[in-house]
Structure formats: C-alpha cells, structure tokens
Amino acid sequence: MNKLIIVVPCYNEEEVLPDTIRLLSGTLSDLIIKKKIAEDSKLLFVDDGSKDRTWDLIEENAKLSNYVTGLKLAGNVGHQNALLAGLTVAKDKCDVTVSIDADLQDDIDVIEEMIDKYSEGCDIVYGVRNDRKTDTFFKRNTAQAFYKIMKLMGAKSVYNHADFRLMSKRAVEGLSMYKERNLFLRGIVPTIGYKTGCVYYERKERMAGESKYPLKKMLAFAFDGITSFSVKPMTFIMSLGIIMICFATCMAIYSLVRFNQGEVIKGWTSLWLAMWFIGGIITFSVGLVGEYIGKIYMEVKERPRYIIEKEI
C-alpha cells in the first residue's frame, strides 16, 4: 500500500486547527482501515510564520497523535511557498501527497476518491468545486472572470480548482524542478504533464476564524497568476499602441481636410481628452512593463523561497 502525507499550510489558524487535526486524523484512520493507504501515513502541518499559537498546537498534537507532524518556517513566505515547502519535504517520505487548506472548506470526504483515481493511474488529481453558491456575488463573478482571463492569456488552469489536489511522488519531483520565485501553483501543476483526473465536491463554509485571502490579496494573487504565465498583456499593449497611432493618423488627415475646407476645428475638450487618454495608456504600459521587470529582478537574485526553522 502507498504511504500518504496530507500537506496543510497554516497561517494564524489556532481557532480552526483542533477541528482540522481531528477531522483529518479521522480521514487517515478510515483510509487505513479500508486498506487504501499505508498505516504510517501522516499529516504534515506547515506553519507559515504564524503569530498566534498555531505552532504550539502542532507541537502539542504531534506528541499525542501518531499522525501529526509539523514543519515550522523561519518567517512568513506566503501560502504558495509554504505549500511548496510541505510538498518538497513530503515527497522524500511518501508515495503520494494531498494538499488542502487548514480551514477545511474543501471536502475531505473526496480524498478517498482521489486515492482511487491515483490507483487507476492518475499522477495528479484535482479537487474541483461543483459551483460557487457559497461565494458572494462579487467573488463569484470575479473568480469566473479570472479563469476566463487566464484561458485567454494562454495559461493552463483547471476551472474552479484552487490548491486542493493529489500529487504522486514523481509529480512532486517534477514540480520541484520549477525554479521560479513567483509561484502560482495552480498554473504550474497543469504544465507538469502525466495523467490527470478530477473529483468534484461542494465547498463548505469556513469552520472558524477569518479568511486569509481578503480582496486585496485575492487581486494581487490573480495579477501574479496572469503576469507569471503570459506575456500576452505586453502584446496587447503593443497592439493597442498601433491602434492608437492609426487612429491619431486618421484624425490628423481629417483635421487637415477640414482645415483646407475653411472649417477650423473649435474647442479644446477633445484635445485634452485625447491627451489624458493617451497619457493613461502610457502610464499603464510603463507600470505593466515595470511589473515584468520586477519579477525578473526577483528571479535573478535567486533568494531561497523558504527557510525551515524546525521540523517534527
């Protein structure tokens, strides 16, 4: 039987962690009883520089449970880096991993179905939401727009999939070969290859605590995803510039014709509007190019994505 490690990135999760440990331990126990996984399967909680008692709870439960293990990062490096740290450590100790957020809004009951698909030959199994009924109107529509934009930009992504997924040992080894610092795992994983599958579930309400992804972080995450996987925004800007040049040329010809006909174009409104519009495009273009240059700057420094302070 295959050894499973469930990787759970945590940041200030003391309110929800006791229930998370209890429920995930029950899931492991059930799978072991059904002989779906090996008896030495584990839970790996990755503390991403939490400021509350998250790490203390992980240590306490590690002493009480054979399932619980922990990884403490030296500082807060963000959800994606914390998740990668957990997967990197887990791959050398197991045959298959499942990643899931600590709030357990993702349905742990479908982990068994993931294991079944892995047994059928899938190296990667995506947990995909059936719908977004539990989301607000704004979040539902912005999320759908994000996936459509990602598809338009040519990035591979799985619709309504976040970071709830199963990965085989060789899939995680493939993931570890990606060296970029600007991580967007839900875009990287589909590029690995290997056979994939999907399981579908209904997302639950958060058990306790607050979401660690407010609007500001979600927008920043979406922008990172787009700029990390496509140069099409820059192509779009170049195309827009060409269109604006053609438009300006046509307006210049039109103005000369009207001038020769003795009709002087009056008013400065259109001129100022044009100046502000073009100035806005230029400013936006410079900012977008700067974003790409900034990412290059972060990549060439080759700083470590995370530093492990302690492991239990």
Side-chain angles (χ1 to χ4, degrees):
M1 285 182 287
N2 296 301
K3 180 178 178 179
L4 167 68
I5 292 183
I6 299 179
V7 179
V8 188
C10 305
Y11 178 68
N12 294 343
E13 299 288 1
E14 67 173 341
E15 292 182 64
V16 74
L17 202 55
D19 288 329
T20 301
I21 292 172
R22 175 177 57 83
L23 292 170
L24 287 177
S25 296
T27 298
L28 279 187
S29 180
D30 289 342
L31 291 173
I32 291 170
I33 291 172
K34 292 178 181 178
K35 299 189 182 300
K36 295 289 182 76
I37 58 175
E39 292 183 1
D40 57 346
S41 295
K42 302 289 182 182
L43 306 173
L44 175 59
F45 293 90
V46 184
D47 179 24
D48 183 24
S50 297
K51 299 176 182 178
D52 60 5
R53 295 189 65 253
T54 295
W55 180 250
D56 294 334
L57 290 172
I58 294 172
E59 283 190 314
E60 290 169 9
N61 282 274
K63 295 174 182 177
L64 300 173
S65 171
N66 291 327
Y67 295 138
V68 178
T69 63
L71 193 68
K72 180 176 176 60
L73 303 183
N76 178 247
V77 294
H79 178 273
Q80 299 291 278
N81 283 308
L83 177 53
L84 182 65
L87 292 173
T88 302
V89 170
K91 73 177 173 62
D92 297 325
K93 303 176 181 180
C94 68
D95 305 297
V96 60
T97 64
V98 169
S99 58
I100 189 169
D101 289 341
D103 56 22
L104 293 194
Q105 287 185 275
D106 300 313
D107 189 1
I108 60 176
D109 292 335
V110 301
I111 292 178
E112 181 176 352
E113 190 177 346
M114 288 180 167
I115 297 295
D116 291 339
K117 286 189 175 291
Y118 169 72
S119 299
E120 293 169 3
C122 292
D123 282 278
I124 302 170
V125 183
Y126 301 105
V128 180
R129 297 175 61 172
N130 281 325
D131 53 56
R132 288 185 170 270
K133 292 186 294 185
T134 58
D135 288 349
T136 62
F137 175 83
F138 176 78
K139 186 173 181 180
R140 179 169 58 253
N141 285 276
T142 51
Q144 290 173 348
F146 167 73
Y147 286 111
K148 290 177 181 178
I149 291 172
M150 288 293 287
K151 184 176 181 181
L152 181 66
M153 295 298 169
K156 292 183 178 180
S157 63
V158 180
Y159 189 71
N160 276 347
H161 163 71
D163 288 302
F164 180 34
R165 70 179 72 87
L166 174 148
M167 297 182 71
S168 67
K169 180 183 179 70
R170 70 170 182 170
V172 180
E173 287 174 344
L175 177 62
S176 65
M177 296 173 67
Y178 288 72
K179 301 302 181 182
E180 59 255 49
R181 267 61 186 165
N182 298 289
L183 284 178
F184 185 68
L185 293 179
R186 66 188 69 175
I188 293 175
V189 172
T191 67
I192 294 173
Y194 298 134
K195 184 178 179 180
T196 65
C198 293
V199 298
Y200 299 88
Y201 66 95
E202 186 173 339
R203 190 169 172 84
K204 304 174 183 177
E205 295 289 343
R206 186 179 175 88
M207 292 186 295
E210 298 179 351
S211 171
K212 303 306 183 293
Y213 266 91
L215 176 61
K216 183 179 178 181
K217 279 192 175 182
M218 285 193 295
L219 292 176
F221 186 60
F223 190 70
D224 277 345
I226 292 170
T227 55
S228 295
F229 276 86
S230 178
V231 295
K232 284 191 177 181
M234 300 181 76
T235 305
F236 171 76
I237 288 174
M238 184 175 66
S239 301
L240 185 62
I242 294 172
I243 292 171
M244 289 303 300
I245 291 171
C246 293
F247 177 76
T249 302
C250 292
M251 288 302 296
I253 295 171
Y254 172 78
S255 298
L256 287 172
V257 170
R258 299 294 286 180
F259 180 78
N260 290 328
Q261 291 175 348
E263 298 181 17
V264 179
I265 300 175
K266 298 179 180 180
W268 292 93
T269 304
S270 57
L271 177 61
W272 282 108
L273 285 174
M275 289 177 63
W276 280 106
F277 181 64
I278 295 171
I281 291 177
I282 292 172
T283 304
F284 176 77
S285 303
V286 171
L288 185 60
V289 173
E291 181 70 21
Y292 278 96
I293 293 173
K295 288 183 181 295
I296 294 170
Y297 172 67
M298 295 302 296
E299 293 292 339
V300 297
K301 289 194 293 186
E302 296 187 350
R303 289 180 177 176
R305 287 177 288 201
Y306 56 84
I307 295 174
I308 297 173
E309 179 179 335
K310 193 174 182 181
E311 183 177 358
I312 54 173

